[in-house]
Amino acid sequence: MRNSFIDNISNLLLVYRGFTFGIIILVVLLFLGFGLSNFAPSNDLLWGMGNAPFSIPPTFNYPFGTTTNGQNLFWLLMIAIKNSMLLGFLTGAISIAIATIMGFLAGRFSSGILGDLLNMIIDSFCVIPGLPVLLVLAFALKNYINVVMISLILSIFGWAWPSKQMRNIVMNLNQKQFIMTSKFSGLNTWKTFLHDYLPYVLPWLLIQFLGLVNWAIGMEVTIAIFGMSNMSVPTIGTSIYWAYTNQTLLLGQWWWMTFTLILTILLMLSIYMVSMSISDYLNPRTRLTRLQKSKVLEET
Amino acid sequence: MIKEETKLEEHLLEVVNVSKYFRSGSYLGTKFKAVDDVSFNLDKGEILLLIGESGCGKTTLSNLILGILKPSSGFIKYKGKIISKLRRNEKKYFIREIQPIFQDPYSTFNPFVRVDYYFKEVCLNFGIAKENSEIDQKISTVLNQVKMNTEIKGKFTHQFSGGQLQRLSIARALLTKPSLLIADEAVTMIDASLRVGILNIFADLNKDLNLAIIFISHDLSVGYYMVELSEKIKIIVMYRGTVVEEAPGESLFANPLHPYTRQLIESVPSIDPDRKWHSTTKHVVLELEEFNLNGCKYVKRCPFAMDICEKEDPPLLSLGKSKVRCWLYANVKDKNLTIDSLTKNGK
Amino acid sequence: MNEKVIEIENLKAYYRISGNINVLALDDINLEVKKGEFAGIAGESGSGKTSLLKVLTHSFPSSMEIKGKVVINFRDKNFDVLTLNEDQIQSLRWKAWSYVPQAAMNSLNPMAKIKDIFLETLESNDKTMNRDEFRKKMEDAFENVGLSKQFLNFYASRLSGGMRQRAIILLATILKPNIIFLDEPTTGLDLITQKDVIQLLQNMHDELNSTFLLVTHDVSVHAQATDFVHIMYAGQIVESAPTKELFHNPLHPYTKELINSVPIIGGKRGRIEQNIRISSSIANSVQGCKFKDRCPYAIPSCGKYVYTYKKGDHEVKCNLYES
Amino acid sequence: MAKYFIERIVFLILTLLIGLTIIFIISRSTPIHPIDTIMQQLSSYGGQLTQQQYNSIKDIYLRLYGLNRPVIDQYFSFLAGVLSGNFGPSFSSFPTPVIKLIERALPWTIGLLLTALIISWVFGNLIGLLAGFYDKSGISKFLQGLFVVISPVPYPIIALILILLFVFMIPSFPIMGGMALNVTPKFSLSYIFSIIEHAFLPALSIVISSMAGWFLSMRALVMNIKSEDFVEFAKLRGLKKRKIVFNYVMRNVISPQITALALNIGFIFNGALVTEYLFSYPGLGTLMYRAIMTGDMNTLVGVASLSVIGITLATFIVELMIPIIDPTIRQER
């Protein structure tokens, strides 16, 4: 199995330009976020007075310029990326876990009343506008907000969309005959899930996870803009919030907002490109045609 | 636990007045009788051919016997125990005893899973064998039984042809030493020339292992070939959810009683270009409406339809070893009756 | 007046899989079909019979390379199908020939009523006929085929497979095209519906006296419906003969095997032994006769070349008849 | 057909119940009592209060907002209040009831949301349809590349980019408010023109990001439908390309896109709220921001409940359109 993993990746790199572009930027950002940010000078990170001069445009030793509170924007954004990614991965993990359970149950019992009820619950969580409700919750928990808390809040609505698609996949698989073969080969539900459902669900899990990471980062920005995020912890959202409320644009200090936006777009784009190319490469139909093609090659 | 050997007079399988209703559309839809008051028995080592057009309820009946569906009324007894009322541990033994073979060989095994995985799982889950050596030995015996000599270790579905996959499906079912195989349209997707090979396997299994088989098909020529191959064989013809005729193999083909059976046999395209059809079929309204007719379901197409057929549903009359559900035979208990003799004297 | 309607001369076709690997679909096919003939092509799945139809109707996938000549006669003008561009082909479709593809009963627009499907086919192909006249023609055609008029207002999903198949055959014949190609029209149907469809095809053939080309793996359907049969194996035509001649006196060992493998109701033939072997996958391009590994009468020369023996209309490619 | 209708009504009621219950639970289970936040604001104005005075004032407020009754009563009165539209007085701009504030902001949001939704849905699907059908052409590939880049970017980011571009780089649009200050709201041309001028950027930012989604999903849908058997069979029957595009591809593609519209209204509404605030457009978004800043829980709960009701109703209405377009649903149910 090992060598096929390596040639899978190499195949992916060559075939999908989007994947190569995405993975390179993602790796760079991951390194910047989790690697480089530890070297940031600790004192000027908090929103207090920094030792750097106030709001000067990008120069050599302040590559991204400095903020109105005299912080080095470069280090600030490195930490911001780290926190936002952390938040994204956490929300993604929690939401995917809930989505898998809800989606699998709704799909497996789709013929009965339970299945219909679960499906209605899933649909209603998709339809309800999450933002106003989350803002009420964030407002209520005003002084207890931290990265983990935001992830939990976002997961309340994050799981709905993935579980809807998970339910469709499970319902399609229920009609397949090999589910019946497994039943008559004595496999219990857990083993059936592992061996029959998982190979179809795994690629989808990865794609939905990346999608959720993007969604979570976006929602964190939205909540932060309303001032509901933990303002002292530098994340992409809080950085935008301070840049916006300090009227940096009116004062002509373009660099704070511009660099934040550029990094955000790069982060989201790379995650999206990676998930798009994986979904093309791994979706069951193309995998099957690749398996069949290898059979014909073997024979000639 | 179910007793190992069955008492002499007890049948292996008893289907008693089984019916199954489905709602078309959930909750508020109209009731739809997919299987309507079907009863028959099956003994050890006997082959039952279930013949009928698509949508006549034969697959629903097979799902009822396999325990996948629960009957709306009536019950099914296997070795003296009612299937729908089995306790948990008895269910596991029951699954070992009755194994299915499916129609589409290409989707019997999960394309992403190695084929030999299923064989190992069957051995482990049903405690047939523990260590690998014993498992491999069991696998090779069943593979020989289906005359399959190619190596299957580590191979995927797409590395086999349709015929080979169907043999593997039979081999997987044989691992648990079942006493009843249910083959639902097992040869429909196989190429005509390779079909005979698979049918030979079924016949040999029946002879050598005294294995009872319920063979479901819509193709009469396949049915006829099975009759030629084995002696203890019984045929049931179903139409719109009801049993219209039940008879031993040879007599059904030699002397079909029910008009529908006659029409089925007549419609088989003969291989000899000189034998042409001369009759044309009476065309009919939507099939779905025939299901809920209160009289005989075949009345709309039957060339001998009488007005009593329209009003009342004919009972299942037994004539010698055969049974037929048709008013033509209602008040005549003569044994060697054929439709021609009946219609000739203007019945 | 038996001038040729279809003429195929050493047609070769293969699918490009990847790089330089390609799978041979059709290997040097020569075929003639006379006007008004009901021709049939039989063979296992993978023998290339569907690929041949796809070439004739110019509906082959782009990954298929084709060489050779395929001439279709329409209004006594000869068209080489392979040289025509898409618009020319589109102008011939449903006028020069109509084509009922495989599993056609599952390929009706779910969003359209049956009568809309008929009307749109008329509009695109025959401007002369006005709609009311066509509507009348459509209703009569449905009635005498046993489908009641009201089915025209149904959506396809409400009709049974058999009904849809009969409706499609009507669709293919209502504008009286020159040739009618049919790919497995009887597969997947119940016995009685299958008989209806075969009888429908026969009536249509007598009524329209246009040429029919029927492709199916079921040899007994050929026995009942066709006048002339070509047997295909691994991308080649191994035997061609009038139907009666072929079934009463089959020459090629493969044809014999095909005919024997069909159980005859009432004929006491008992068990048919078959050696276990692979189906005709044409990926491996074999020297000489492709059937030699499966042939019980194979002789050494079969590995080198294939002799063509011709007696009247009966032609067979087999070295056994190399006298 | 009736069954589909009943099913949709049950779904509507269930969604409303779930949404409103979540809001109720959240608003009632805040660790620090909303009244305390107001009290803190009171004391920050320099008034020193003894503990005893503090409790009595708090008690008055509690009775005023009816927060001292058992939770179940509060829940039912909350639901009754929501349905009749009274969410109680707003904490910050006391005594004006919350519904008054919402009524002022609602028309702006509805106007912005509706126009943006319709434009993005119609144009997104139209271009997606053409791009899907002529997928070999250069423009189609270019548009695909463009929208693939746009689609992952969330609403606030696109709004900020637009602000950067159109307000600072090339100042061409107003940044503040819903209309010019000197214009009196009467049905005059200048009034309408100034509204459009102010609403242009927010609408544009919502349209851009949601249009990407519609374009990509429509293009993928069309390319799938194109390889379906019935489209192949239509070509084989000599049907003209134009007829295939409308009778076959368009008809089979509209109903899934309407279902998608119904399910996405809530998502786009979230985007609208943020965009409104960033452009300080006087809709519900800005109202929510002010409520958060002044700690006005009642308005916040009011706006949240109203959006849940509004969006669920909108979804319900759109879903009713599906059987009209898709006969198979009409026939089956």
Side-chain angles (χ1 to χ4, degrees), chain C residues 40-75:
Chain C
I41 298 180
E44 282 169 15
S45 61
S47 61
K49 53 187 191 311
T50 304
S51 311
L52 179 60
L53 257 193
K54 282 206 160 29
V55 169
L56 278 164
T57 57
H58 206 289
S59 56
F60 45 83
S62 52
S63 68
M64 198 179 196
E65 288 284 329
I66 300 173
K67 286 204 285 300
K69 220 148 87 66
V70 174
V71 173
I72 287 185
N73 179 295
F74 173 51
R75 295 202 178 106

Side-chain angles (χ1 to χ4, degrees), chain B residues 244-279:
Chain B
V244 286
E245 184 163 350
E246 180 185 336
E250 291 82 11
S251 84
L252 183 112
F253 280 103
N255 166 19
L257 299 176
H258 196 279
Y260 173 61
T261 320
R262 271 175 67 86
Q263 188 190 9
L264 269 183
I265 294 175
E266 226 175 71
S267 320
V268 176
S270 117
I271 196 82
D272 172 4
D274 300 333
R275 278 188 54 202
K276 293 282 185 204
W277 294 304
H278 20 75
S279 71

Side-chain angles (χ1 to χ4, degrees), chain C residues 59 90 93-94 99 101 106-112 117 120-121 123-125 127 155 157-158 168 171, chain D residues 229-230 233-240 243-244 247-248 251-252 255 325-328 330-332:
Chain C
S59 56
Q90 201 68 352
R93 280 199 174 119
W94 237 259
Y99 171 41
N106 307 333
S107 40
L108 287 174
N109 182 359
M111 290 287 177
I117 294 172
E120 68 189 11
T121 316
E123 267 149 30
S124 313
N125 295 311
K127 298 288 182 289
Y155 287 92
S157 51
R158 267 189 73 184
I168 285 169
L171 184 63
Chain D
D229 297 344
F230 60 84
F233 189 41
K235 279 201 201 98
L236 293 175
R237 280 190 276 123
L239 262 64
K240 298 283 178 298
K243 190 170 272 296
I244 290 180
N247 280 15
Y248 281 73
R251 287 269 301 267
N252 285 283
S255 130
I325 288 147
D326 185 348
T328 42
R330 248 201 330 267
Q331 194 177 281
E332 257 160 36

Side-chain angles (χ1 to χ4, degrees), chain A residues 46-270:
Chain A
L46 296 179
W47 297 95
M49 287 312 138
N51 46 25
F54 301 109
S55 47
I56 50 162
T59 61
F60 172 66
N61 40 28
Y62 296 105
F64 285 173
T66 60
T67 65
T68 42
N69 322 38
Q71 289 144 313
N72 184 340
L73 197 54
F74 176 76
W75 295 118
L76 188 67
L77 285 182
M78 292 309 124
I79 307 273
I81 291 171
K82 180 181 114 182
N83 288 335
S84 279
M85 275 203 242
L86 214 63
L87 182 115
F89 292 145
L90 202 56
T91 317
I94 303 168
S95 306
I96 279 288
I98 308 169
T100 312
I101 300 161
M102 280 294 281
F104 183 70
L105 291 178
R108 186 82 170 160
F109 306 107
S110 57
S111 50
I113 309 264
L114 173 66
D116 289 351
L117 193 64
L118 281 175
N119 181 33
M120 279 220 179
I121 294 170
I122 293 172
D123 278 358
S124 44
F125 268 90
C126 289
V127 165
I128 294 170
L131 184 61
V133 178
L134 293 183
L135 283 179
V136 171
L137 183 59
F139 173 77
L141 306 169
K142 209 156 185 335
N143 310 356
Y144 299 86
I145 295 275
N146 58 35
V147 172
V148 172
M149 184 62 79
I150 295 179
S151 308
L152 288 175
I153 293 176
L154 292 181
S155 307
I156 295 175
F157 286 93
W159 64 272
W161 278 94
S163 73
K164 199 167 163 52
Q165 281 154 356
M166 170 78 175
R167 174 175 172 272
N168 292 344
I169 294 177
V170 168
M171 273 167 62
N172 285 341
L173 285 177
N174 286 346
Q175 269 100 29
K176 291 276 192 332
Q177 255 167 7
F178 51 75
I179 303 287
M180 210 50 79
T181 316
S182 305
K183 178 175 184 322
F184 280 91
S185 308
L187 271 76
N188 56 33
T189 323
W190 171 243
K191 263 190 183 172
T192 321
F193 176 75
L194 267 188
H195 280 274
D196 285 332
Y197 288 94
L198 214 53
Y200 285 86
V201 158
L202 216 52
W204 166 84
L205 269 176
L206 190 57
I207 297 151
Q208 286 302 327
F209 175 72
L210 291 173
L212 274 169
V213 169
N214 258 351
W215 176 79
I217 294 172
M219 279 308 268
E220 191 273 331
V221 168
T222 318
I223 290 182
I225 281 173
F226 277 96
M228 280 286 95
S229 188
N230 179 335
M231 286 310 136
S232 60
V233 172
T235 67
I236 292 178
T238 42
S239 161
I240 287 178
Y241 173 76
W242 288 117
Y244 186 78
T245 42
N246 290 352
Q247 309 306 341
T248 50
L249 295 176
L250 288 180
L251 303 167
Q253 296 160 4
W254 50 270
W255 49 89
W256 189 341
M257 185 63 87
T258 318
F259 282 112
T260 319
L261 287 185
I262 291 170
L263 281 176
T264 317
I265 292 170
L266 279 179
L267 175 62
M268 292 198 161
L269 206 56
S270 56

Side-chain angles (χ1 to χ4, degrees), chain B residues 54 193-194 228 276 281, chain C residues 190 196 224 269 271 274 277:
Chain B
S54 59
S193 51
L194 303 169
E228 279 194 304
K276 293 282 185 204
T281 45
Chain C
D190 299 313
D196 291 349
Q224 291 302 317
R269 287 216 311 227
R271 186 185 182 100
Q274 266 185 348
R277 51 224 164 351

Side-chain angles (χ1 to χ4, degrees), chain C residues 145-251:
Chain C
V145 142
L147 298 169
S148 88
K149 277 209 294 286
Q150 37 136 331
F151 290 165
L152 282 168
N153 299 322
F154 281 11
Y155 287 92
S157 51
R158 267 189 73 184
L159 299 178
S160 75
M163 289 183 186
R164 270 182 269 138
Q165 189 71 344
R166 276 181 274 167
I168 285 169
I169 288 170
L170 282 184
L171 184 63
T173 53
I174 202 157
L175 295 178
K176 294 189 175 44
N178 198 326
I179 310 165
I180 291 146
F181 298 109
L182 300 128
D183 194 348
E184 300 277 1
T186 55
T187 314
L189 296 178
D190 299 313
L191 275 177
I192 298 175
T193 329
Q194 192 177 42
K195 175 179 166 226
D196 291 349
V197 166
I198 294 170
Q199 284 178 325
L200 172 63
L201 289 175
Q202 281 163 337
N203 302 346
M204 283 292 154
H205 178 244
D206 308 340
E207 213 182 294
L208 304 176
N209 65 51
S210 28
T211 314
F212 277 61
L213 182 59
L214 170 68
V215 162
T216 178
H217 68 280
D218 190 339
V219 276
S220 31
V221 172
H222 286 293
Q224 291 302 317
T226 58
D227 312 337
F228 202 94
V229 183
H230 309 269
I231 308 286
M232 270 184 85
Y233 180 78
Q236 285 173 337
I237 294 185
V238 293
E239 185 166 2
S240 315
T243 311
K244 281 193 174 36
E245 165 68 8
L246 186 92
F247 282 94
H248 290 149
N249 164 24
L251 298 178

